[in-house]
Amino acid sequence: MNPYVLAILLSSLGIGTTLTFASSHWLLAWMGLEISTLAIIPLMAQQHHPRAVEATTKYFLTQATAAAMILFASTTNAWTTGEWNIQEMSNPTALVLITMALALKIGLAPVHYWLPEVLQGLNLTTGLILSTWQKLAPFALIYQISPMMNPTLVITLGLASTIIGGWGGLNQTQLRKILAYSSIAHLGWMMIVMQYSPNLAILNLILYIAMTTATFLTFKNVTSTKLSTLTLTWSKTPMMTTMAMMTLLSLGGLPPLTGFMPKWLILQELTKQNLPLTASIMALAALLSLFFYLRMCYAMTLTIAPNTNNNASTWRQKSSQTTMTLSITTTLALTLLPITPAIMALTT
Amino acid sequence: MALVTNRLLCIKNSRAYLKASLYPLSNGAPPEQAHSQSYRRPGVPPENIPPWKRINLNFAKGVEGVKKHFGLLKKEMLGRFEGPEGRPLKEHILEQARVIWEFRGPESLAQWVASSDREIGGKSEAYMKMGRNNLTALLYGNLCTEVPRDGETRYSGYCSLRSKQLLGAFDRKKHHDWSNFNSLYLRIRGDGRPWMINIAAETYFSHQKDDMYNYFLFTRGGPYWQDVKIPFSKFFLSSRGRIQDSQHPLWLDKINTIGFTLGDKADGPFQLEIDFIAVCNDRAHTEEFAYEKYKRNPEV
């Protein structure tokens, strides 16, 4: 893409999210969300392929709907209470509507249907931006309205997302769709604890971003987008194959890797809040997601499939991609569990 | 006597001509009796059958429909527990070839539609039937390049065979997912004529419903079967018959239909016998795309 255009789009993307972070008025927050949606649309469609156009269309329609719902809810609240401040939202209808709109923005179940299809049509970099950066702005808004949200709705969204994210990812063979369902499941974990300890949800989000970035960058490095080409990574970079297995298990939430930290803390918080059944269901639903992460590990690292390498020249040659981000995020994704007390002191 | 017969013939021909010109699409039959899926030529007014006329109340058919669709739904839901596409994952990873269409009985012909330029008023014919011993499908007919006299058509003479859209439970559109493979593998016996293979992917969201990926199929005329392996990287994009400038490779995860077209401007009979159509993963083929994707606004 033309570097000037790329610079404008990326900076607009950053500005949009920053605007939402910095705003306390609903209209400014909505504007920030719209700017980031519009900025990412050309990035998604730059491949000139019908599938990319399909992904862009679906993304635009869902995000525009969500933005319209946010606008409607905030104007309803302003009409009934006269308040435009994000943290002073009090009309219950408006709150429910805004929760659903933000759920649509980030792809929580039951309004998650767009996420796998959209991620499938994008290249891995744009998919990474969609999975990580685009979740920040809506989360900022959810964080601010979390004390006022309807508890039943939030728990329903959380439980449904974890379960559907787990079930849905079970039969996928395309890696981007698997990562989409993993995103849905992780967002479910974040939502469930949002009203009891929003800081834990933010911690979960940050760690999820680190782990997902590591995963996406690994897949980008070996240019594989399907489970069957993932079986060939052992011949390209054996070390990265091992690290990728650990990253995937970290996403699955296994100790002693980082991914265990948010799940542990969330389950502890839910138990403290006297919700043992919810905690049990969340833990069991996490097993479903663990199954497909394990399946990816199995195909990639634990077995050598009898497939021959179909790509032209990737036998242990140095990739031209810079691996700085990959190494940083992989380290974060694997080794942060021992400093949990420090992180807790910093965040809660 | 000859003059009278001639006159009568003239009158009969002119009546037939009049009828054909009144309903140019439907071979003389009024539109209500024409097949609902036949091609509607642009410029011809659509048949406006009111919805209440289309209702067909038939209890037995309804019961059969319910059984069929719920059966398909149950299969889809239970197949989820097996693995992707209803088969265990091991099969998916180890799979190297998959036969998609195999002509082993008359019911396999129901998945295909043979058509010719009769839709636009030409005189070619194309028929499809089972071959010998019910082991192959035979597409045969007569190609006629005589241009229909409607003042706007300039070329004519084509026949085509196209697969029907895959439908799931309750007639939902389903797609073929061939992302695990990279070549098309056919076993055919032609008559030396050059055919064209058209693959149509899902175009609902890209608003380009005439987008199609084509490649050539050259047949040998002999009595021997011909195994044709065409990698998907060779397929080029065309729309309404015009090859597009900006090409992109065919994405294999949402394929709708495959078709074969004959339009080689040679009048006469033609035959194509197909044994099976399969997709395979040719491990030795490493090409990603055979053509250059022209970059618009190249950096200088």
Side-chain angles (χ1 to χ4, degrees):
Chain A
M1 199 180 233
N2 189 351
Y4 300 122
V5 173
L6 189 62
I8 291 178
L9 291 174
L10 287 176
S11 57
S12 306
L13 199 54
I15 284 176
T17 309
T18 315
L19 211 52
T20 311
F21 281 166
S23 66
S24 53
H25 191 288
W26 271 117
L27 280 183
L28 195 64
W30 168 78
M31 199 170 82
L33 289 171
E34 286 285 89
I35 290 174
S36 71
T37 306
L38 289 175
I40 204 175
I41 296 288
L43 286 173
M44 290 166 71
Q46 64 181 314
Q47 269 188 321
H48 296 297
H49 190 278
R51 189 56 43 70
V53 170
E54 176 183 338
T56 315
T57 318
K58 284 180 177 165
Y59 183 73
F60 175 70
L61 289 172
T62 49
Q63 300 290 305
T65 312
M69 280 163 72
I70 291 176
L71 204 55
F72 181 53
S74 50
T75 40
T76 308
N77 187 51
W79 180 41
T80 51
T81 62
E83 262 304 331
W84 279 106
N85 199 332
I86 297 179
Q87 292 170 357
E88 307 286 334
M89 197 175 223
S90 46
N91 186 348
T93 317
L95 276 167
V96 166
L97 201 55
I98 209 123
T99 315
M100 288 314 290
L102 290 168
L104 179 57
K105 271 261 175 213
I106 54 179
L108 281 171
V111 284
H112 65 283
Y113 292 99
W114 57 275
L115 194 56
E117 297 277 334
V118 168
L119 265 184
Q120 172 64 12
L122 307 175
N123 55 349
L124 285 164
T125 325
T126 322
L128 170 64
I129 299 178
L130 199 84
S131 293
T132 51
W133 185 260
Q134 294 290 78
K135 308 270 185 270
L136 290 174
F139 248 95
L141 295 174
I142 293 178
Y143 181 87
Q144 290 178 9
I145 60 170
S146 57
M148 288 96 61
M149 286 196 293
N150 186 345
T152 323
L153 180 63
V154 172
I155 294 197
T156 313
L157 286 172
L159 278 175
S161 303
T162 330
I163 294 176
I164 290 181
W167 275 117
L170 281 182
N171 261 341
Q172 305 297 335
T173 51
Q174 297 281 344
L175 294 178
R176 288 165 288 186
K177 279 194 176 175
I178 292 181
L179 288 173
Y181 283 106
S182 123
S183 161
I184 296 170
H186 279 270
L187 289 168
W189 278 91
M190 291 174 219
M191 279 309 276
I192 203 112
V193 81
M194 188 55 99
Q195 37 178 340
Y196 305 116
S197 172
N199 292 334
L200 271 182
I202 300 293
L203 175 66
N204 195 349
L205 179 66
I206 294 172
L207 292 174
Y208 164 74
I209 287 177
M211 297 187 288
T212 311
T213 312
T215 319
F216 263 102
L217 289 175
T218 315
F219 294 154
K220 186 157 180 274
N221 204 329
V222 298
T223 52
S224 69
T225 52
K226 306 193 288 265
L227 209 53
S228 44
T229 45
L230 205 60
T231 57
L232 304 167
T233 50
W234 67 271
S235 67
K236 297 175 199 169
T237 46
M239 198 58 206
M240 195 195 293
T241 313
T242 326
M243 289 293 115
M245 171 182 118
M246 309 293 271
T247 315
L248 286 169
L249 291 177
S250 176
L251 267 172
L254 293 182
L257 305 166
T258 313
F260 179 60
M261 188 201 319
K263 292 199 163 56
W264 162 32
L265 295 172
I266 290 175
L267 286 175
Q268 193 175 0
E269 185 63 39
L270 285 175
T271 325
K272 268 194 235 165
Q273 298 286 342
N274 227 359
L275 293 169
L277 183 62
T278 313
S280 316
I281 297 177
M282 294 294 286
L284 290 173
L287 287 175
L288 292 169
S289 326
L290 184 62
F291 182 74
F292 58 76
Y293 295 128
L294 268 177
R295 173 187 276 170
M296 278 201 278
C297 297
Y298 175 81
M300 185 164 60
T301 319
L302 301 176
T303 54
I304 294 182
N307 303 342
T308 50
N309 196 338
N310 221 3
N311 297 330
S313 61
T314 48
W315 178 271
R316 298 206 192 179
Q317 285 188 356
K318 270 195 144 106
S319 147
S320 59
Q321 190 185 320
T322 53
T323 45
M324 170 74 95
T325 329
L326 175 58
S327 49
I328 294 176
T329 45
T330 310
T331 317
L332 287 177
L334 300 184
T335 53
L336 283 183
L337 193 65
I339 56 168
T340 309
I343 294 179
M344 288 207 63
L346 281 172
T347 54
T348 54
Chain B
M1 187 63 190
L3 206 62
V4 170
T5 331
N6 216 357
R7 263 299 148 85
L8 282 171
L9 270 171
C10 272
I11 295 171
K12 206 160 101 183
N13 279 348
S14 68
R15 217 177 274 154
Y17 184 72
L18 200 64
K19 237 189 184 172
S21 70
L22 273 180
Y23 311 114
L25 285 188
S26 28
N27 308 326
E32 296 91 61
Q33 296 168 12
H35 189 251
S36 62
Q37 281 178 3
S38 63
Y39 169 68
R40 182 181 72 82
R41 189 149 182 233
V44 169
E47 33 180 85
N48 285 327
I49 306 177
W52 45 269
K53 247 192 193 170
R54 289 178 202 257
I55 298 176
N56 181 11
L57 286 172
N58 185 349
F59 189 68
K61 197 162 148 229
V63 166
E64 205 184 280
V66 159
K67 269 200 280 200
K68 170 176 150 213
H69 289 302
F70 277 101
L72 278 174
L73 187 67
K74 178 176 156 207
K75 201 163 74 148
E76 271 174 43
M77 288 175 64
L78 294 181
R80 241 193 151 262
F81 297 106
E82 286 280 329
E85 292 167 12
R87 300 162 321 134
L89 183 75
K90 239 189 275 190
E91 249 185 65
H92 171 89
I93 292 191
L94 295 175
E95 191 169 46
Q96 290 202 11
R98 192 201 298 180
V99 176
I100 316 280
W101 288 283
E102 204 176 27
F103 298 95
R104 294 289 179 265
E107 62 280 351
S108 54
L109 293 182
Q111 297 165 0
W112 295 82
V113 173
S115 56
S116 65
D117 67 356
R118 193 162 248 202
E119 299 153 353
I120 57 168
K123 295 204 173 78
S124 317
E125 295 156 0
Y127 308 102
M128 199 174 175
K129 69 173 192 201
M130 287 305 292
R132 286 217 186 135
N133 291 333
N134 271 357
L135 282 177
T136 60
L138 182 67
L139 174 70
Y140 66 99
N142 195 25
L143 207 67
C144 179
T145 52
E146 193 185 317
V147 177
R149 298 232 204 138
D150 51 9
E152 51 183 18
T153 315
R154 286 190 294 169
Y155 311 102
S156 183
Y158 66 84
C159 300
S160 92
L161 177 70
R162 195 172 183 186
S163 74
K164 286 194 183 154
Q165 169 82 45
L166 204 63
L167 293 175
F170 301 101
D171 286 340
R172 282 174 302 132
K173 237 165 128 176
K174 274 177 37 151
H175 313 285
H176 294 280
D177 181 5
W178 297 340
S179 46
N180 217 8
F181 306 98
N182 67 359
S183 319
L184 190 64
Y185 189 87
L186 316 167
R187 190 151 196 261
I188 50 165
R189 191 158 52 176
D191 54 354
R193 299 184 94 155
W195 290 74
M196 190 162 239
I197 304 185
N198 319 319
I199 295 185
E202 173 64 28
T203 52
Y204 180 78
F205 288 97
S206 60
H207 290 268
Q208 308 286 343
K209 76 171 164 54
D210 303 307
D211 266 4
M212 205 176 263
Y213 300 84
N214 307 327
Y215 199 66
F216 318 103
L217 173 69
F218 295 106
T219 54
R220 314 253 171 274
Y224 301 110
W225 282 97
Q226 190 182 345
D227 286 304
V228 178
K229 208 189 248 190
I230 305 177
F232 286 121
S233 61
K234 300 274 190 213
F235 279 81
F236 54 86
L237 174 70
S238 72
S239 179
R240 286 195 79 91
R242 300 182 203 285
I243 304 180
Q244 302 298 302
D245 281 335
S246 58
Q247 292 285 329
H248 54 253
L250 164 65
W251 275 41
L252 294 156
D253 51 350
K254 277 194 186 171
I255 305 277
N256 277 353
T257 63
I258 192 171
F260 301 90
T261 307
L262 177 67
D264 60 349
K265 305 181 209 167
D267 282 350
F270 67 86
Q271 268 192 359
L272 181 72
E273 205 174 343
I274 311 178
D275 184 4
F276 62 80
I277 298 173
V279 283
C280 76
N281 193 354
D282 187 0
R283 303 289 178 185
H285 182 79
T286 53
E287 184 185 58
E288 288 187 4
F289 190 49
Y291 313 103
E292 209 181 304
K293 306 181 245 194
Y294 282 104
K295 216 175 194 181
R296 293 190 213 113
N297 307 318
E299 292 107 22
V300 285

